[in-house]
Amino acid sequence: MTPDQAIAFGIVGVTIGLFIWGRLPYELVALLALLAGIVTGVVPADAAFKGFSDDIVIIVASALLVSAAVARSGVVEAAMRPLVPWLRSPVTQVPVLAGVVMLLSAFVKNIGALALLMPVAFQLARRTGHSPSALLMPMAFASLLGGLVTLVGTSPNVIVSRMREDILGAPFGMFDFAPVGLVVAFAGLLFLTVGWRLLPRERRPAAGMEAAFSMGDYTTEATVPPGSPLAGRTVADLGAMGGEVRLTSVIRERFRRLPPTPGMTLRAEDVLLLQGTPEDLERLQARAGLVLAGERQAERQPAEEAGVVEGVITGSSPMIGQTPAQMDLVNRHGLALLAVSRSGQQVERRLSALRFRPGDVVILKGEQERLPAAMGELRILPLSGRDIALGNRRRSLVPAAVLAVAMALLALNLVPVAVAFFGAAVVLLALRALPLREAYDNMEWSVLILLGALIPVSEAIRTTGGSDLIAGWLAQAVHYLPPMGALALMMAVAMAVTPFLNNAATVLMLAPIAASLAERLQLSPDAFLMAVAIGAACDFLTPIGHQCNTLVMGPGGYRFGDYARLGLPLTLIVLLVGVPLVAVVWPLTGR
């Protein structure tokens, strides 16, 4: 082992250790690794920052923007709407939702496809009375499987393609992954269709969105106007008129807060804090002629242009810790707050003084054309619309059409992948199908920085001969294995490493080693690169190896061990189906 190889291995070893330790952000660890490479000289100073302009970074960034625009358009929700009434149990819900997520993940970022369908899953679970935990993990795993089908389906495919270009002189094409990816994904979908029964049957307390759905009633603030049927009537009369609606507080003369009693007489201009389902609250408002606080703020909007939407405040929302007055929702964002629901708590403050928390579910009213942009800017995840389409109707088909054109150009080999997706992203931004602010918000900057910083470090392992050295050790280890066994070992190693490294980092580290191993065994590097791509993309055993798995853990009420219950059989299926299929599609003895 040469000194440069020892230094390169040392940097990679420390980097992996810091990744596993988990106390530092991934992107910071990658930047420290790059700095160490520059200082020690194994990464040349004039090539240190070429990773940030690499096609890999451009493709991933552009794919994120295209994915966000497609998700924002509302076209998927519109396509799903006719199917929803037929999905009455997990037996039908799992294959349909997982299949749709899988299909979307082949062309848009898999976490984007999953986030797009999660509200649909919660609505179905709430409507049918089943636990969403039966749906969410199969959907997350399906999103990973769908990414195997195309070059842009997942970051590992993009990176492996670029590695192949460096090693063999030509990248993988857009649909070179499809023959293997389609079969593996279909086999996985067949398993998930029945395998969801392996998940725990008991209903656990869930966090995030599921908690939002199960929290029940909303609190709204309404004023009794002069001439209202309630003026001069008692609280008991309101109870008879409002059905299940509960009056929690009466605010009189602006500041006097009175506990309601059955015999209390309500007066004009009293402010009532009411609690109930949206439907019951709407019914009472109509019968009693009440004026919601949010309605007064939104009254300047023409009725035909106004829309109402439910959404959950995410953990990254700028609304957290702020009141509606501080956020100036009406003037700055065009939104009026109609009602709030908070898990496990009764809201006792006036809505204007309520400080938002993560997981609060809000009903907002605003101009239909402005709703999507405002929801995205405030990081509010839409849960369901009230007779409106959340997407921008005038441009709802534009993102899908632009994506289709980009895919056609790639299929015909008219432009490189980076150019096609960069062009699609720019066109969507120019057409305002995705506002610039949302574009910046949807960028996974940590992933882009990690890629840009680790590409030169990974290159140092190869240029110092480190890849060949490790490949020699592995060649000795697999000496008595058949070629198929060596291929299976490479895929299994990628699967085992991904939960600790992040799938992009796994490919950057293992792809050069896999190619060198294939050369030493006098086998085709293509098959081994494909094995690394599949292994790195298929982390089904932990909630931490991929963002999709992490995203569903809280809302689904899953525990760490639940992932292996469904993920271990799925991992074995991918190995059993994927290894021989790779060997057939990419012959081990060919070049």
Side-chain angles (χ1 to χ4, degrees):
M1 182 183 295
T2 67
D4 282 348
Q5 289 174 347
I7 292 172
F9 285 143
I11 292 173
V12 171
V14 172
T15 300
I16 292 173
L18 290 175
F19 279 149
I20 296 174
W21 187 43
R23 298 293 182 88
L24 297 177
Y26 278 167
E27 61 270 30
L28 177 57
V29 173
L31 291 172
L32 289 172
L34 177 58
L35 178 61
I38 297 171
V39 171
T40 57
V42 295
V43 175
D46 59 353
F49 306 110
K50 288 185 178 179
F52 292 99
S53 62
D54 196 281
D55 283 359
I56 295 173
V57 177
I58 303 302
I59 293 169
V60 172
S62 300
L64 286 170
L65 294 184
V66 174
S67 173
V70 172
R72 184 181 185 274
S73 69
V75 65
V76 176
E77 293 96 323
M80 285 291 296
R81 197 170 293 123
L83 298 177
V84 169
W86 302 96
L87 306 179
R88 298 189 176 94
S89 73
V91 174
T92 53
Q93 292 167 359
V94 170
V96 171
L97 291 177
V100 173
V101 170
M102 186 179 291
L103 178 63
L104 288 174
S105 296
F107 304 102
V108 301
K109 191 71 175 172
N110 43 25
I111 193 168
L114 177 61
L116 186 63
L117 269 295
M118 280 179 69
V120 178
F122 281 116
Q123 291 165 25
L124 285 172
R126 180 171 59 172
R127 179 177 300 175
T128 60
H130 295 283
S131 172
S133 62
L135 307 177
L136 295 183
M137 193 183 295
M139 291 169 62
F141 289 173
S143 72
L144 303 185
L145 291 169
L148 301 176
V149 177
T150 66
L151 173 62
V152 297
T154 186
S155 299
N157 291 1
V158 177
I159 300 170
V160 161
S161 176
R162 184 70 170 83
M163 291 287 181
R164 185 184 192 271
E165 185 176 15
D166 291 340
I167 297 168
L168 301 178
F172 285 120
M174 181 68 185
F175 297 104
D176 284 350
F177 298 85
V180 176
L182 280 172
V183 178
V184 172
F186 183 70
L189 181 61
L190 290 180
F191 167 72
L192 293 173
T193 299
V194 296
W196 61 269
R197 293 177 172 85
L198 296 173
L199 293 170
R201 296 297 181 92
E202 70 271 17
R203 189 176 180 87
R204 296 174 181 159
M209 286 181 290
E210 164 59 5
F213 272 104
S214 63
M215 67 179 59
D217 293 339
Y218 283 88
T219 296
T220 192
E221 178 183 328
T223 301
V224 181
S228 167
L230 271 181
R233 306 283 291 275
T234 66
V235 171
D237 294 329
L238 180 147
M241 186 181 297
E244 299 298 320
V245 173
R246 295 178 299 283
L247 176 62
T248 61
S249 187
V250 177
I251 301 170
R252 184 169 292 169
E253 298 169 1
R254 298 190 63 182
F255 301 110
R256 292 177 59 202
R257 184 182 297 271
L258 307 174
T261 59
M264 176 187 290
T265 301
L266 300 175
R267 304 176 186 174
E269 304 301 333
D270 278 353
V271 175
L272 313 179
L273 293 185
L274 302 166
Q275 194 173 60
T277 65
E279 293 74 18
D280 288 337
L281 291 171
E282 290 169 5
R283 193 175 300 113
L284 174 63
Q285 179 196 5
R287 290 177 179 175
L290 302 178
V291 178
L292 300 183
E295 290 282 5
R296 282 186 168 176
Q297 297 170 337
E299 62 187 3
R300 62 188 180 191
Q301 298 170 350
E304 64 274 10
E305 297 180 6
V308 178
V309 65
E310 288 175 289
V312 62
I313 298 176
T314 64
S316 60
S317 173
M319 299 171 67
I320 294 173
Q322 302 290 308
T323 67
Q326 290 172 330
M327 290 298 299
D328 196 11
L329 290 177
V330 174
N331 295 321
R332 291 176 58 189
H333 304 282
L335 297 176
L337 179 65
L338 300 183
V340 176
S341 182
R342 177 167 290 170
S343 178
Q345 294 188 27
Q346 179 173 300
V347 176
E348 297 180 348
R349 290 178 175 269
R350 298 189 64 167
L351 297 190
S352 59
L354 180 73
R355 293 190 182 276
F356 296 109
R357 299 179 185 175
D360 282 353
V361 181
V362 293
I363 297 181
L364 300 166
K365 183 174 183 178
E367 185 180 344
Q368 288 193 31
E369 295 296 327
R370 295 181 62 184
L371 274 173
M375 299 279 282
E377 184 176 345
L378 294 173
R379 314 286 205 288
I380 300 174
L381 182 67
L383 299 179
S384 63
R386 296 192 175 274
D387 301 320
I388 65 166
L390 292 182
N392 187 322
R393 292 181 175 178
R394 292 181 303 173
R395 294 193 175 95
S396 61
L397 296 179
V398 168
V402 171
L403 176 61
V405 171
M407 300 300 289
L409 292 174
L410 290 173
L412 297 173
N413 293 318
L414 296 178
V415 295
V417 178
V419 173
F421 273 81
F422 174 76
V426 173
V427 168
L428 290 173
L429 291 173
L431 294 175
R432 297 186 179 180
L434 184 70
L436 277 174
R437 185 185 296 271
E438 283 193 46
Y440 285 116
D441 291 342
N442 280 281
M443 279 294 183
E444 293 182 24
W445 298 107
S446 60
V447 174
L448 299 180
I449 293 172
L450 181 145
L451 289 173
L454 283 187
I455 286 171
V457 177
S458 172
E459 184 69 12
I461 293 290
R462 188 172 68 87
T463 56
T464 60
S467 299
D468 292 333
L469 187 63
I470 295 178
W473 296 339
L474 286 176
Q476 294 178 8
V478 301
H479 180 71
Y480 297 103
L481 291 178
M484 196 85 75
L487 186 68
L489 177 64
M490 202 71 246
M491 188 181 295
V493 168
M495 286 180 166
V497 171
T498 296
F500 305 102
L501 283 194
N502 171 291
N503 55 15
T506 296
V507 177
L508 286 170
M509 300 298 180
L510 291 184
I513 295 172
S516 296
L517 176 62
E519 292 285 355
R520 283 183 172 270
L521 298 175
Q522 297 183 336
L523 300 174
S524 168
D526 284 336
F528 282 76
L529 290 174
M530 280 288 175
V532 170
I534 293 172
C538 293
D539 172 32
F540 306 123
L541 300 178
T542 73
I544 60 175
H546 196 281
Q547 291 171 310
C548 290
N549 294 354
T550 307
L551 181 63
V552 301
M553 185 176 186
Y558 300 122
R559 299 191 181 109
F560 196 99
D562 293 340
Y563 286 80
R565 296 176 67 163
L566 186 64
L568 183 58
L570 184 57
T571 298
L572 295 176
I573 288 172
V574 171
L575 282 169
L576 292 174
V577 174
V579 171
L581 196 59
V582 168
V584 170
V585 176
W586 302 94
L588 291 172
T589 56
R591 287 299 303 266

